[in-house]
Amino acid sequence: MENGIHLKRSLGLWSIVMLGIGYMSPMALFDTFGIVSEETAGHVPTSYLLALIAMLFTAISYGKMVKAYPMAGSAYTYTQKTINGNLGFLVGWSALLDYLFLPMVAALLTKIYFSAVFPGVPTWVWIVGFVIITTLINIFSINVTANFNTFLVLFQMLVIVTFLILCIKGLLSGEGTGKVLSPEPFFKTGFDFSSVISGATVLCFSFLGFDAVTTLSEETPNAIKTIPRAILLTAFIGGIVFIVVSYFIQSYFPDVTRFKNPEGASPEIALYVGGKLFQSFFIAGTFTSTLATGLASQASVSRLLYVMGRDQMLPKKVFGYIHPKWRTPVINVFLVGGIQLTAIFFDLETASSLINFGALISFTLVNICVIWHYAYYKKQYKSVKEVINFIILPVIGAACIIVLWLNLNMDALVLGISWAIVGFIYLLYLTKMFRTAPPQFNFNEAEAG
């Protein structure tokens, strides 16, 4: 915070939920369906169900930490305040991979979608146009971002509902399983639990977004009550959408033999289910999906940078600045927009792998923070309810994340560790080789805002 100017507390519950769902990008399930269907031998809905259950444990942990520290820094703040300032910095540094590269992934997906439709246009045009739109919207008040994002999410839902109607019509006409209600997408002959778990580890990353709403804590009245509800609603609603839609896609396409390219099956899915006209409508939906993700993720990372700047982990005059009129961290928004432009030189696989490392660091530490804060510091383990809430549930959440760590792409691990080493070197400089404590922000000052 600079010159006593704070973030403005003006977001309601459903605006936050919509930002979280926009971050999660509901239509992304079409992009991963072919890959996971092949991996699981036609049991994508079951993998989504397992992924939802796994992520809900971590979502519950985020909700508990928001109640303890209703501030904008998410896993960075929780680790810094609960365990150790140095570790908190390294968690925040690692989380930047997740938050910085998701806006870039959104730009890359936009380039892929539009280049397929307009192959004659230089690909960089779509990235530059996308970054300009998301940056201009985000520099104004968070309410402008939230309202526009809500419109984009509702349009995606319209595309999805239309898709489901067409799917049901096709199933009634004998397509796929020929049944609207069938257990086959969840369980059938050839079911292999290990492959379904493997599919779930891929799909867990579809849930990235429920944690991002914690970065909006300082722009939410009564954040202690509202943000935990928003976290659970975001994860649960997103999970239900994923399960229902994947159920009907799996019913329509019991296996991947119909797809020419299982790894990029979404255009084929739209074409086979609804024809060329619906395919055009569907492509419009995919663009709104990436735009919503770009908006929400850019808003989130600019708040994380703001908190790290306010804590003087990063230069305060730059990263801790809030615009006096718009009450947004405009310098950070422009900075993230500049980083998004580097998508011109990146490929989708590399950017996605960096997101996974940062997300898993955050998820792991938040589960640990619940145990550390409530059971270790506050000694809340003297009843069965407290043991379940503050030990058993976060341990299960951490165990689920360990499964994801074991399935993490090696490139993601190498790049993530390299990024963490750079952060560690910077921390050595910041703390003068750990001779001084890292700067920390006064929690009461944030609440006063």
Side-chain angles (χ1 to χ4, degrees), residues 276-348:
K276 288 187 177 285
L277 181 61
F278 174 72
Q279 189 183 43
S280 300
F281 183 51
F282 180 87
I283 290 172
T286 57
F287 172 65
T288 60
S289 174
T290 56
L291 185 56
T293 299
L295 280 173
S297 56
Q298 192 180 51
S300 296
V301 68
S302 63
R303 271 70 181 170
L304 176 59
L305 289 170
Y306 161 70
V307 173
M308 295 184 77
R310 185 181 64 187
D311 289 359
Q312 300 183 58
M313 293 287 191
L314 298 171
K316 184 176 180 179
K317 286 189 177 181
V318 176
F319 295 95
Y321 174 79
I322 297 293
H323 193 278
K325 179 180 179 181
W326 298 322
R327 307 281 285 274
T328 58
V330 292
I331 296 177
N332 296 343
V333 172
F334 280 116
L335 175 64
V336 177
I339 293 172
Q340 274 183 284
L341 287 175
T342 63
I344 295 171
F345 311 106
F346 271 85
D347 61 69
L348 186 59

Side-chain angles (χ1 to χ4, degrees), residues 59-79:
I60 291 169
S61 290
Y62 268 98
K64 288 185 174 69
M65 292 313 301
V66 168
K67 291 179 180 179
Y69 301 104
M71 301 167 68
S74 193
Y76 154 71
T77 294
Y78 309 148
T79 308

Side-chain angles (χ1 to χ4, degrees), residues 187-206:
F187 183 86
K188 63 185 177 184
T189 303
F191 182 88
D192 179 20
F193 192 67
S194 62
S195 68
V196 171
I197 290 179
S198 179
T201 61
V202 175
L203 297 177
C204 273
F205 299 112
S206 300

